[in-house]
Amino acid sequence: RQMVLRAKAGVESGLVPSGHYVVNRRLRSYFTESSWVSEQMNGIEYLFFLRRLVEQVEADWPSVLAKLETVRAILISRQNMLANVTLDSENWQLFQPQLANLLSQMPDLPVTVQTWAWQRPLQNEGLTIPAQVNYVGKGGNLYELGYQEHGSVAAIVNYLRTTYLWEKVRVQGGAYGGMISFSNYTGVLTYFSYRDPNLLQTIDVYDKVAQFLRQDVSEDDLTKSIIGAISALDGYQLPDAKGYTAMNRILINSSEAYRQQKRDEILGATSADFARFGDAVAGLAESEKAIVTVLGSAEAMKKANEQKQRDWLAITKVL
């Protein structure tokens, strides 16, 4: 019970300082199964789960215990394990027998892969907390809108983050930050703001990204964006980070050939790539495949619905 209460309090206390992450995770959960899982385990849905779990621990401890035993049986299974070890070859010779001994003591149970019904209708959401500021997000899947994957996106995203979004959302809009995220693997693009006094004004900024990208990019800005993207791709890593990155690449089937292709496309990025990406994001402005998620002021959300003259945001109280 104490562990659940502590976890619940931790999520609740993190909503305001990490509201932009909360919104981004919630947005992405509508578009991919992996993001849906992340939302279940770390997002708003996790908070709702913890609140239910507090009641279940009090009212029906045996059923909670049975679920914990099930989780343990799934995790402690030789067939369901992946060992990620990062060390030099000499110490591997010493460590390998110990690892083999550990694995030999694990139950050798068959693995049942679960199928989740994760997809749900797209909807604009307003998640209310007692705050005077908002965390405003909008996103969609560019691949579904016809965009073809290209490594230049890394440079384009870096450019938008440090120029247009900084100027429009932070400097002019008064928010503490304006961000953008894109996944080459899924095609999902999201915009999100941090401690934002605005709501509809920020959505309007997102919807005009295409116009900005269709303008000519100076040679200096292009070079800076490429350098920033490459440095993020090939940044220095300590051994533990290298090992963790290597494991992730195995899990998502990311080959060195694929990564080299992305490097080449980043280094060869042109103004035409920026304009082509602008054409793609233009589809997010009006497409029914794009959605908005807002965490923040209930008053701001109600006002937005009134301005839209409909229940534009489905409002849910979180705190």
Side-chain angles (χ1 to χ4, degrees):
R1 179 178 178 274
Q2 290 302 315
M3 291 169 68
V4 177
L5 288 172
R6 189 160 57 242
K8 182 175 77 71
V11 176
E12 290 173 340
S13 64
L15 288 175
V16 172
S18 301
H20 54 316
Y21 293 127
V22 173
V23 163
N24 191 36
R25 184 184 296 115
R26 184 75 172 183
L27 259 176
R28 290 179 168 274
S29 72
Y30 278 92
F31 298 104
T32 68
E33 186 173 19
S34 59
S35 295
W36 175 82
V37 171
S38 179
E39 167 69 11
Q40 300 300 310
M41 298 178 68
N42 298 288
I44 295 294
E45 287 302 323
Y46 179 53
L47 174 58
F48 292 162
F49 162 76
L50 289 173
R51 288 172 177 169
R52 294 192 300 269
L53 186 56
V54 170
E55 298 176 356
Q56 291 170 3
V57 168
E58 295 285 0
D60 188 9
W61 168 246
S63 68
V64 175
L65 178 60
K67 291 175 183 177
L68 291 171
E69 295 282 7
T70 300
V71 170
R72 182 176 65 176
I74 292 171
L75 292 177
I76 311 301
S77 171
R78 197 184 318 166
Q79 293 189 27
N80 208 28
M81 282 189 165
L82 171 67
N84 181 51
V85 183
T86 306
L87 75 175
D88 57 86
S89 58
E90 181 180 350
N91 281 306
W92 170 245
Q93 299 304 318
L94 297 173
F95 182 74
Q96 184 179 21
Q98 299 178 50
L99 177 61
N101 180 56
L102 173 66
L103 295 177
S104 69
Q105 297 180 50
M106 298 294 173
D108 190 15
L109 302 173
V111 176
T112 302
V113 178
Q114 300 296 319
T115 301
W116 296 312
W118 66 273
Q119 291 180 305
R120 58 203 192 280
L122 301 181
Q123 67 168 352
N124 297 331
E125 284 189 299
L127 307 167
T128 68
I129 56 176
Q132 298 303 309
V133 292
N134 306 298
Y135 303 85
V136 183
K138 183 171 184 176
N141 192 317
L142 293 188
Y143 294 165
E144 291 185 0
L145 295 176
Y147 181 71
Q148 298 295 313
E149 178 187 2
H150 195 270
S152 62
V153 175
I156 298 167
V157 165
N158 188 57
Y159 176 63
L160 286 171
R161 185 185 298 115
T162 56
T163 57
Y164 178 79
L165 292 174
W166 173 272
E167 178 68 24
K168 296 296 184 180
V169 178
R170 180 178 172 85
V171 177
Q172 295 180 17
Y176 279 28
M179 289 144 277
I180 180 173
S181 176
F182 179 79
S183 169
N184 276 322
Y185 297 102
T186 66
V188 176
L189 178 139
T190 50
Y191 309 105
F192 46 105
S193 63
Y194 184 76
R195 295 188 67 85
D196 194 342
N198 305 302
L199 200 165
L200 291 180
Q201 179 180 324
T202 299
I203 298 298
D204 186 58
V205 169
Y206 299 156
D207 289 345
K208 291 178 179 177
V209 165
Q211 297 177 27
F212 177 74
L213 287 176
R214 286 165 177 162
Q215 302 172 14
D216 288 336
V217 182
S218 71
E219 195 66 32
D220 184 52
D221 282 337
L222 182 60
T223 300
K224 288 179 181 177
S225 300
I226 290 172
I227 292 173
I230 284 293
S231 63
L233 186 67
D234 291 326
Y236 175 77
Q237 289 185 318
L238 293 171
D240 60 332
K242 287 183 179 180
Y244 183 72
T245 299
M247 179 181 68
N248 281 340
R249 287 172 177 171
I250 290 173
L251 291 173
I252 63 176
N253 195 29
S254 174
S255 67
E256 178 57 36
Y258 173 82
R259 294 192 296 276
Q260 186 57 51
Q261 178 186 340
K262 296 303 119 183
R263 289 189 193 95
D264 294 341
E265 290 172 350
I266 292 171
L267 292 170
T270 66
S271 293
D273 293 319
F274 282 58
R276 187 169 66 90
F277 191 73
D279 292 338
V281 298
L284 294 181
E286 299 297 336
S287 173
E288 294 181 354
K289 294 183 178 181
I291 57 172
V292 169
T293 299
V294 181
L295 176 73
S297 165
E299 182 179 348
M301 295 175 200
K302 292 176 182 176
K303 185 177 179 180
N305 279 350
E306 290 172 0
Q307 289 181 256
K308 290 285 188 178
Q309 297 183 336
R310 56 192 172 92
D311 290 335
W312 179 65
L313 291 173
I315 299 177
T316 301
K317 182 178 180 180
V318 176
L319 282 180

